[in-house]
Amino acid sequence: MKKLQYVDIFAGCGGLSLGLYNTGAWEGLFALEKDAFAFETLSHNLINQKSHFNWPEWLPKKPHDINLVLKKYRENLLALRGEVDLVAGGPPCQGFSMAGRRNEDDSRNKLIHSYIKFIRLVQPKLIIFENVKGFTQAFDGENGSGLRHSDKVISLLGKTALTGNHIGYNVHSELIDFSMYGIPQKRSRFILFGIRKGLHLHVSPKDFFNNLASNRGPFLKEKGIEEEVSLKHAISDLLRAANEACPDSRNFSTSRYKKPNSSYQKLLRKGITSFLPNSHRFAKHTQKTLGKFEYILKHACKNKTIAEPLKKKFGLKKYRVVPLSGDTPAFTITTLPDDYIHYSQPRIFTVRECARIQSFNDWYEFKGKYTTGGHLRIREVPRYSQVGNAVPPLFAEQLGQTLKDVLND
């Protein structure tokens, strides 16, 4: 059976594409990602290892800025009309995120217009747009426009050009908590689904979300996992024990896999042959930091930002320092590894543990630097950031299954 064709824009390290790959029903045409580290991760896993993309000859297999692609390859994109079943992606969210400094004038916010331009050129049958919860909240205050950018995107996608240059989409959007879909973290995201006007499908955009929710139970039952997965059930087989040399980081240590303790761990470890997890490098905490973390784990409330007196005791200036509980889903995994303290060990999470919480298969290898800082922070996407920015693949797989059903119906 011929696979459905999609394009992944603002693809990051490939979380959404990995989920579509795991359905077995989708084939990528190409993916657009500007950052070299993130694209290297996607390329290594889904282009070189899995041959998941039927990459066109006119587009080099390298990182691309979407605005340059829109300018340089306009005619090639126009030629894709009628060939693409789905365009999926979410522009960078830093300007909208409630976890950071919301800034309506952040230049990255303008990339939503690049998304719209791409959709209007290619005119896929279906569209998926993903962004942070803050995308649905207005920018108020003295310098705010009072505008909800989610409303703006919905309006632009729905418009049909009188000149016939592009057609509009019937769309519906909802906020979805991924922890209800087997992802071991409380992560709410804005998801927009659209159907190109003129397609005679028996499913409306609103029906799609109802079907997604209805399919959740059977999907997770088939996978053998619970609808709500705790942090402990996600990563307890990655606890630090006897140290081993980390394969990709000189002078850093890692640990071997432990026996899997949950069906979630068994699911994500399928296909693994190495006894050492990829990207499982432990941070080099000083004795002072270890003592501080041990005290916090013993005395602070789990799943809550530590109180001001405790911050003052240790001279902590970070806004968010949260010791997590192993008995509940984690908080939203961010791009900053020192936001959270491990539920049972005095340390921050490794990249592999963050990837497990995001539901990446363990065979998926991350490339590039582990962390970055200073002026490079706005130009590089290291491993922790790649994972924190991604769409959880297990949710993307459920998305892909329901999208397939829409087109088959």
Side-chain angles (χ1 to χ4, degrees):
M1 192 175 190
K2 184 180 178 181
K3 292 187 176 182
L4 299 168
Q5 306 290 302
Y6 77 94
V7 175
D8 190 354
I9 58 178
F10 308 106
C13 69
L16 192 145
S17 285
L18 173 58
L20 295 181
Y21 165 80
N22 284 336
T23 67
W26 292 88
E27 179 181 56
L29 288 177
F30 57 89
L32 298 182
E33 170 53 43
K34 182 178 180 180
D35 179 73
F37 292 158
F39 185 81
E40 183 184 3
T41 295
L42 183 149
S43 178
H44 171 78
N45 292 283
L46 295 176
I47 299 176
N48 300 335
Q49 299 297 318
K50 299 299 183 181
S51 301
H52 175 56
F53 286 90
N54 185 22
W55 207 277
E57 293 184 0
W58 52 265
L59 185 67
K61 292 180 183 177
K62 67 176 187 178
H64 287 287
D65 183 317
I66 188 171
N67 289 319
L68 296 180
V69 170
L70 287 168
K71 183 178 180 179
K72 185 174 182 180
Y73 300 105
R74 176 183 171 83
E75 295 305 315
N76 301 96
L77 295 175
L78 284 170
L80 290 177
R81 289 185 176 181
E83 302 295 323
V84 180
D85 296 298
L86 169 72
V87 169
C93 59
Q94 290 88 340
F96 305 109
S97 177
M98 305 301 293
R101 298 178 180 177
R102 280 169 58 79
N103 178 8
E104 190 166 17
D105 295 325
D106 192 312
S107 60
R108 291 167 293 192
N109 295 357
K110 298 176 182 178
L111 289 171
I112 61 175
H113 295 287
S114 306
Y115 176 93
I116 300 294
K117 289 178 182 178
F118 192 94
I119 295 297
R120 288 177 173 174
L121 281 177
V122 176
Q123 295 186 10
K125 295 175 184 175
L126 308 178
I127 56 175
I128 286 288
F129 181 97
E130 180 266 350
N131 220 292
V132 293
K133 182 179 179 180
F135 192 70
T136 66
Q137 300 183 8
F139 285 93
D140 295 321
E142 184 178 346
N143 297 318
S145 66
L147 176 72
R148 296 197 310 175
H149 281 258
S150 55
D151 293 339
K152 187 174 184 179
V153 168
I154 290 170
S155 175
L156 290 170
L157 287 171
K159 290 180 179 178
T160 303
L162 297 176
T163 60
N165 289 332
H166 72 265
I167 55 177
Y169 286 78
N170 296 312
V171 300
H172 182 72
S173 64
E174 292 189 8
L175 285 174
I176 291 183
D177 180 357
F178 292 159
S179 69
M180 298 178 65
Y181 288 81
I183 313 300
Q185 63 175 309
K186 295 287 185 180
R187 187 183 188 93
S188 292
R189 285 296 185 268
F190 169 81
I191 305 292
L192 179 147
F193 170 67
I195 300 173
R196 194 177 71 208
K197 291 179 180 179
L199 285 182
H200 300 292
L201 301 178
H202 295 289
V203 178
S204 72
K206 188 172 183 178
D207 292 335
F208 169 81
F209 286 95
N210 294 332
N211 293 348
L212 182 66
S214 299
N215 293 341
R216 175 182 59 202
F219 174 88
L220 295 175
K221 184 177 180 180
E222 182 182 345
K223 296 288 185 181
I225 59 178
E226 302 293 331
E227 290 189 15
E228 183 173 284
V229 179
S230 71
L231 178 57
K232 184 186 300 181
H233 284 160
I235 64 171
S236 63
D237 61 327
L238 297 171
L239 288 170
R240 185 171 193 170
N243 289 330
E244 306 248 357
C246 188
D248 64 2
S249 294
R250 187 179 179 184
N251 298 325
F252 281 85
S253 61
T254 185
S255 266
R256 297 189 179 204
Y257 280 111
K258 315 300 180 294
K259 183 179 179 180
N261 297 309
S262 70
S263 54
Y264 182 87
Q265 294 172 13
K266 292 176 183 177
L267 174 67
L268 295 189
R269 281 173 58 165
K270 285 182 179 178
I272 291 298
T273 57
S274 173
F275 56 82
L276 291 177
N278 168 261
S279 297
H280 194 42
R281 186 184 88 174
F282 294 112
K284 288 183 176 180
H285 294 312
T286 64
Q287 285 301 123
K288 182 179 179 181
T289 299
L290 288 172
K292 173 177 63 181
F293 284 175
E294 285 174 349
Y295 187 93
I296 291 172
L297 285 174
K298 185 176 181 180
H299 296 282
C301 294
K302 297 291 183 72
N303 288 350
K304 290 186 177 181
T305 298
I306 64 172
E308 287 302 319
L310 204 54
K311 283 186 179 181
K312 289 181 180 179
K313 176 181 176 66
F314 292 110
L316 294 172
K317 296 182 180 180
K318 269 183 66 67
Y319 168 74
R320 182 202 298 253
V321 180
V322 184
L324 294 180
S325 168
D327 299 324
T328 63
F331 282 18
T332 298
I333 291 299
T334 70
T335 61
L336 301 174
D338 55 351
D339 278 354
Y340 304 123
I341 301 174
H342 191 282
Y343 68 90
S344 69
Q345 297 187 323
R347 61 178 178 85
I348 63 173
F349 292 118
T350 67
V351 170
R352 178 48 58 190
E353 287 170 325
C354 293
R356 192 65 88 64
I357 296 167
Q358 278 277 58
S359 75
F360 277 90
N361 301 78
D362 278 25
W363 57 258
Y364 205 83
E365 299 181 2
F366 295 91
K367 301 296 181 180
K369 295 179 180 179
Y370 274 78
T371 60
T372 192
H375 68 282
L376 294 177
R377 188 177 292 277
I378 62 173
R379 300 201 335 243
E380 294 180 340
V381 183
R383 297 187 196 191
Y384 277 105
S385 298
Q386 291 175 40
V387 174
N389 289 336
V391 176
L394 190 64
F395 174 76
E397 185 176 351
Q398 296 173 70
L399 204 63
Q401 294 279 22
T402 307
L403 289 165
K404 178 195 71 172
D405 293 341
V406 168
L407 290 173
N408 287 344
D409 185 53

